[in-house]
Amino acid sequence: MKILAVDDDKNYLIILEKWLSGTHLTTVDNAFDAIRELQKNRYDLVIADIYMPEMSGIKLVEYIKKKFYVKILILTNDHTYNINRLENIKHKYQKPNSKSELLEIIEKIIKDNDK
């Protein structure tokens, strides 16, 4: 499985690299690099943070949905953010606190036939 993770929090990207060590994971720290990566390579899943400078994860997801066929998981660490208000984004979660939580979320997304 090829996963692209985009998050401006480099520490979280390091955590994802540890948790997803059995996958082909590419990490970038901004939305524009994520777009460039998607233009060059095919991915099965994009994991994006909601809050990023220059282009938010929400705007990135909107762009990706128009240009690419890939499953998307959007995450936030902001527990005050009502993630359910993102009606046009199917797979949205608070950032998981453990590897097992993240793997369970990814498994649900991969089994889902919709992008």
Side-chain angles (χ1 to χ4, degrees):
M1 171 185 304
K2 287 183 71 173
I3 299 173
L4 174 62
V6 54
D7 196 318
D8 62 313
D9 180 348
K10 293 181 185 192
N11 290 325
Y12 193 71
L13 292 177
I14 291 169
I15 290 169
L16 289 180
E17 287 173 349
K18 290 177 184 175
W19 287 355
L20 299 174
S21 62
T23 66
H24 181 271
L25 177 68
T26 301
T27 60
V28 295
D29 63 5
N30 66 75
F32 297 109
D33 285 347
I35 292 168
R36 281 190 280 280
E37 209 33 65
L38 286 165
Q39 289 169 337
K40 292 188 302 187
N41 298 295
R42 187 190 153 293
Y43 288 91
D44 302 302
L45 176 66
V46 174
I47 300 173
D49 185 34
I50 286 180
Y51 295 118
M52 293 185 289
E54 298 175 18
M55 180 190 286
S56 72
I58 296 166
K59 293 288 184 193
L60 174 63
V61 169
E62 290 171 359
Y63 181 85
I64 290 172
K65 288 174 109 180
K66 291 177 188 173
K67 302 283 185 177
F68 305 98
Y69 183 81
V70 62
K71 294 183 180 202
I72 302 167
L73 166 58
I74 194 157
L75 300 172
T76 185
N77 214 23
D78 181 354
H79 293 280
T80 65
Y81 187 88
N82 181 3
I83 202 159
N84 291 322
R85 75 180 193 182
L86 301 174
E87 295 176 7
N88 62 334
I89 300 175
K90 186 170 185 178
H91 304 291
K92 51 197 177 260
Y93 296 89
Q94 295 295 327
K95 283 186 177 176
N97 294 317
S98 70
K99 177 181 178 178
S100 61
E101 281 181 86
L102 178 62
L103 294 176
E104 185 177 315
I105 291 168
I106 290 173
E107 186 176 327
K108 285 180 192 176
I109 293 169
I110 296 304
K111 286 181 179 178
D112 189 353
N113 290 326
D114 295 336
K115 64 174 183 164

